[in-house]
Coordinates of all heavy atoms in Angstrom, one line a residue:
Chain T
E280 N 9.5 8.2 -14.1 CA 8.4 7.4 -13.7 C 8.3 6.1 -14.4 O 8.0 5.0 -13.9 CB 7.1 8.1 -13.8 CG 6.9 9.2 -12.8 CD 5.5 9.9 -12.8 OE1 4.6 9.3 -13.4 OE2 5.4 11.0 -12.3
R281 N 8.8 6.2 -15.7 CA 8.8 4.9 -16.5 C 9.8 3.9 -16.0 O 9.6 2.7 -16.0 CB 9.1 5.3 -18.0 CG 8.9 4.1 -18.9 CD 9.2 4.5 -20.4 NE 8.7 3.5 -21.3 CZ 9.4 2.4 -21.6 NH1 10.6 2.2 -21.0 NH2 8.9 1.4 -22.4
D282 N 10.9 4.4 -15.5 CA 11.9 3.5 -14.9 C 11.3 2.7 -13.7 O 11.6 1.5 -13.5 CB 13.2 4.3 -14.4 CG 13.9 4.8 -15.6 OD1 14.2 4.1 -16.5 OD2 14.4 6.0 -15.5
L283 N 10.5 3.5 -12.9 CA 9.9 2.8 -11.7 C 8.9 1.7 -12.3 O 8.8 0.7 -11.7 CB 9.1 3.8 -10.9 CG 10.1 4.8 -10.2 CD1 9.2 5.9 -9.4 CD2 11.0 4.2 -9.2
A284 N 8.2 2.1 -13.4 CA 7.2 1.1 -13.9 C 7.9 -0.1 -14.4 O 7.4 -1.2 -14.3 CB 6.4 1.8 -15.0
L285 N 9.2 0.0 -15.0 CA 9.9 -1.1 -15.4 C 10.2 -2.1 -14.3 O 10.2 -3.3 -14.5 CB 11.3 -0.7 -16.0 CG 11.2 -0.1 -17.4 CD1 12.6 0.5 -17.8 CD2 10.7 -1.0 -18.4
L286 N 10.4 -1.5 -13.1 CA 10.6 -2.4 -11.9 C 9.4 -3.2 -11.6 O 9.4 -4.4 -11.3 CB 11.0 -1.5 -10.7 CG 12.4 -0.9 -10.7 CD1 12.5 0.2 -9.8 CD2 13.5 -2.0 -10.5
A287 N 8.2 -2.5 -11.7 CA 7.0 -3.3 -11.5 C 6.8 -4.4 -12.4 O 6.4 -5.5 -12.1 CB 5.8 -2.3 -11.5
V288 N 7.0 -4.1 -13.7 CA 6.9 -5.2 -14.7 C 7.8 -6.3 -14.4 O 7.4 -7.5 -14.5 CB 7.2 -4.6 -16.1 CG1 7.2 -5.6 -17.2 CG2 6.2 -3.5 -16.5
K289 N 9.0 -6.0 -14.1 CA 10.0 -7.1 -13.8 C 9.5 -7.9 -12.5 O 9.5 -9.1 -12.5 CB 11.4 -6.5 -13.5 CG 12.3 -7.5 -12.8 CD 13.7 -6.8 -12.5 CE 13.7 -5.9 -11.3 NZ 13.6 -6.5 -10.0
N290 N 9.1 -7.2 -11.5 CA 8.8 -7.9 -10.2 C 7.5 -8.7 -10.4 O 7.3 -9.8 -9.8 CB 8.8 -6.9 -9.1 CG 10.2 -6.5 -8.7 OD1 11.1 -7.0 -9.3 ND2 10.3 -5.5 -7.9
H291 N 6.6 -8.1 -11.1 CA 5.3 -8.9 -11.3 C 5.5 -10.1 -12.2 O 4.8 -11.1 -12.0 CB 4.2 -8.0 -11.9 CG 3.4 -7.2 -10.9 ND1 2.2 -7.6 -10.4 CD2 3.8 -6.0 -10.2 CE1 1.8 -6.7 -9.4 NE2 2.8 -5.8 -9.4
A292 N 6.4 -10.0 -13.1 CA 6.8 -11.2 -14.0 C 7.3 -12.3 -13.0 O 6.9 -13.5 -13.3 CB 7.8 -10.8 -15.0
N293 N 8.1 -12.0 -12.1 CA 8.6 -13.0 -11.1 C 7.5 -13.5 -10.2 O 7.3 -14.6 -10.0 CB 9.8 -12.4 -10.3 CG 11.0 -12.2 -11.2 OD1 11.1 -12.7 -12.3 ND2 11.9 -11.3 -10.7

Side-chain angles (χ1 to χ4, degrees):
Chain T
E280 289 185 16
R281 189 177 193 277
D282 289 318
L283 295 176
L285 285 174
L286 289 162
V288 173
K289 166 182 76 72
N290 290 350
H291 275 264
N293 292 338

